[in-house]
Amino acid sequence: MTVKYKEPAPIVDHLNPLDSMMERFSEAAEILGLDESTYNSLKSPEKTVAVSLPVTMDNGKIEVFEGYRVVHSSKLGPSKGGIRYAPSVNLDEVKALAAWMTWKCAVVGIPYGGAKGGIKCNPREMSVGELERLTRSYTVAMSDIFGPEKDIPAPDMGTNPQIMAWIMDEYSKLKGVASPAVVTGKPLVLGGSLGRVEATGRGVMVSARTAMGKLKINPAKSTVAVQGFGNVGSISAKLMALQGCKIVAISDISGAYYNVKGIDIDEAIAYLKNYSDTLEGYKGAEKITNEELLTLNADVLIPAALEDQITEKNASKIQAKLIVEGANGPTASNADKILNEKGIIVVPDILANAGGVSVSYFEWVQNRLGYFWTEERVNRRADRIMKQAFETVYAASLKYDVSMRIAAYIVAIDKVASTRQLRGTY
Ligand code: NAD
């Protein structure tokens, strides 16, 4: 059996993502006039679980892996969030990603709290058997945390539908009941949802189109640069091209590729599928650096690769009028002010890439109903969620005279804080 794993992010010398998240959280909380007790209760995760996972490797030796699950909030409903397998996984990163999930679910109005999990490992250097044993061992360790009504994992960097299938299987065996709704992002045959694979890129496209409408950018006359050509980047690029935009640059770990006349995205996707794991050697464009891609003269920039790509070092050189964040945390908090001063509109990650968790929610709903929707129905409902969320955040940005990013945090924090108030604390 061959299993294709997503490219884990290389370790980058980035700012602590928890600090980036907290800076924006604090700014929004101050504007909202959040009282101290609410502020304190929302800034810390509800539950932090760290486990040591001994796994027998193929060579017979036992290796011990660090695993985490952080439940940031369950105020709006069961907590939801992916599991990351990468050598760079650490508790601060998992805490930041868990809080982002809380804000993301609240922004798009789905009845979930936020969580995230991670295992410090390198999935590319592990066999399928080792990954299966590690995943089952993690599921056993987290069996009291996970649950269709408690905490629902999903794939993130370094994990994939096969890993979700193992979690679903192990959890169902432990509980003695079939529990497909314990995890989303499953293979279709095990209860996955149509449209899930494309959902994040589709939501990025819907956010970009809505923002372009506000900025009076005509898609047919616009140029777009996309950083990252994995699930989110390649599908965003493909769907933006279908809207009539000219995709002038794409990139992946091998570098960036630029063509002023526009890149044929279907051809680039086919190149990736048929010839190589990366775009290395792709002939449809001239090679440039990833740094050059970020500062290109294109109307729209879609960072869809890693955290902290736009920083105080390069923000002043960015020429795009609109940035739509496909990745989680691609803009460091120290770049926000520079982008605002330049008048660049940023559709923030917790809004722009929320199409994925929205369709994960649909997968969970379908699993609980035992009834499956058509792709057309999934897409229609997801597009509606994304458009409504965009308009809510846009209206808040006008009301409070703040960036779309701070407006998204305001919308989210307000919702979670009022739920906390209604549920009460003793
Ligand atoms: P992926 O592994 O499918 O793709 C990542 C892409 O980034 C690959 O093309 C990789 O080569 C490229 N990349 C890696 N390092 C790079 C570098 N230094 N410069 C340029 N490109 C580089 O991952 P994905 O699922 O597309 O996720 C991308 C981002 O979107 C992550 O931040 C992830 O957390 C976020 N996200 C993903 C989803 C989803 O549903 N997949 C949902 C929400 C957010």
Side-chain angles (χ1 to χ4, degrees):
M1 179 173 77
T2 55
V3 182
K4 203 170 174 202
Y5 293 97
K6 288 174 153 193
E7 184 79 30
I11 301 171
V12 281
D13 177 23
H14 58 60
L15 309 157
N16 182 329
L18 190 58
D19 294 341
S20 268
M21 192 282 296
M22 280 311 298
E23 257 179 61
R24 279 110 176 211
F25 169 73
S26 299
E27 189 177 339
E30 199 177 323
I31 294 168
L32 266 177
L34 211 65
D35 63 83
E36 200 183 336
S37 66
T38 311
Y39 177 87
N40 286 337
S41 93
L42 297 186
K43 80 170 196 197
S44 322
E46 283 175 15
K47 214 179 280 176
T48 301
V49 185
V51 289
S52 298
L53 303 166
V55 175
T56 306
M57 307 305 278
D58 291 347
N59 63 8
K61 289 200 177 132
I62 292 176
E63 220 172 285
V64 182
F65 295 87
E66 279 171 38
Y68 303 101
R69 185 74 180 167
V70 172
V71 174
H72 174 260
S73 171
S74 57
K75 290 282 174 286
L76 282 170
S79 49
K80 185 88 188 82
I83 298 172
R84 183 171 285 194
Y85 284 6
S88 55
V89 163
N90 64 77
L91 190 53
D92 271 359
E93 181 186 67
V94 181
K95 281 185 182 173
L97 290 162
W100 274 324
M101 286 306 297
T102 303
W103 312 136
K104 197 180 292 189
C105 294
V107 164
V108 287
I110 55 179
Y112 283 148
K116 202 82 182 189
I119 302 180
K120 193 176 170 63
C121 65
N122 189 346
R124 291 181 76 81
E125 286 176 0
M126 295 172 71
S127 70
V128 173
E130 288 167 344
L131 279 164
E132 179 173 356
R133 293 193 289 282
L134 176 65
T135 302
R136 289 189 187 274
S137 168
Y138 179 73
T139 309
V140 172
M142 298 297 173
S143 63
D144 285 338
I145 308 294
F146 296 164
E149 261 115 32
K150 285 164 74 180
D151 178 43
I152 308 140
D156 190 69
M157 276 189 282
T159 55
N160 60 16
Q162 171 63 80
I163 289 177
M164 299 307 111
W166 290 327
I167 294 176
M168 180 265 203
D169 180 71
E170 193 64 30
Y171 182 86
S172 297
K173 279 185 193 150
L174 283 167
K175 302 289 170 184
V177 285
S179 266
V182 71
V183 68
T184 61
K186 296 179 292 294
L188 266 185
V189 68
L190 280 181
S193 177
L194 289 166
R196 176 62 189 88
V197 173
E198 299 81 12
T200 307
R202 189 175 173 87
V204 169
M205 177 275 286
V206 172
S207 303
R209 275 301 310 264
T210 316
M212 287 163 90
K214 304 279 182 208
L215 294 173
K216 312 249 176 310
I217 299 175
N218 178 352
K221 293 189 178 147
S222 69
T223 50
V224 180
V226 183
Q227 187 199 39
F229 208 64
N231 172 279
V232 182
S234 67
I235 290 167
S236 302
K238 181 180 166 146
L239 297 180
M240 290 298 281
L242 283 174
Q243 298 296 310
C245 307
K246 193 197 283 179
I247 315 298
V248 289
I250 55 176
S251 78
D252 70 4
I253 195 138
S254 69
Y257 302 82
Y258 173 66
N259 185 339
V260 71
K261 295 193 185 123
I263 293 171
D264 181 335
I265 297 300
D266 285 334
E267 185 191 84
I269 291 174
Y271 179 83
L272 206 59
K273 274 201 187 126
N274 298 335
Y275 300 105
S276 170
D277 252 6
T278 69
L279 289 165
E280 187 65 62
Y282 175 62
K283 297 278 182 286
E286 149 202 1
K287 196 148 181 202
I288 57 170
T289 65
N290 256 304
E291 194 56 32
E292 285 169 325
L293 176 143
L294 293 171
T295 55
L296 269 181
N297 184 10
D299 299 306
V300 184
L301 172 64
I302 302 181
L306 309 171
E307 288 124 72
D308 295 327
Q309 296 300 294
I310 302 170
T311 66
E312 62 184 349
K313 289 194 190 134
N314 60 9
S316 61
K317 292 188 237 149
I318 288 184
Q319 301 190 61
K321 301 182 185 83
L322 172 66
I323 298 175
V324 185
E325 295 185 337
N328 282 316
T331 307
S333 55
N334 60 21
D336 282 352
K337 193 160 168 259
I338 304 168
L339 298 176
N340 289 344
E341 279 168 4
K342 284 175 67 96
I344 299 171
I345 302 297
V346 180
V347 186
D349 45 8
I350 57 172
L351 170 62
N353 71 33
V357 75
S358 302
V359 175
S360 272
Y361 164 57
F362 294 160
E363 178 176 333
W364 178 79
V365 167
Q366 292 170 75
N367 291 155
R368 287 155 63 95
L369 282 175
Y371 173 77
F372 287 87
W373 302 353
T374 61
E375 188 163 358
E376 191 269 333
R377 178 184 245 194
V378 170
N379 289 344
R380 186 164 28 90
R381 292 186 175 199
D383 291 358
R384 192 164 64 211
I385 284 185
M386 293 304 295
K387 280 185 198 146
Q388 273 171 359
F390 186 99
E391 293 299 343
T392 305
V393 171
Y394 188 74
S397 80
L398 297 180
K399 179 176 167 192
Y400 292 97
D401 192 20
V402 292
S403 65
M404 290 276 287
R405 184 185 314 283
I406 296 302
Y409 275 77
I410 288 177
V411 168
I413 293 170
D414 195 25
K415 199 173 279 179
V416 182
S418 55
T419 315
R420 174 184 175 271
Q421 184 73 25
L422 285 166
R423 293 180 65 154
T425 313
Y426 61 86

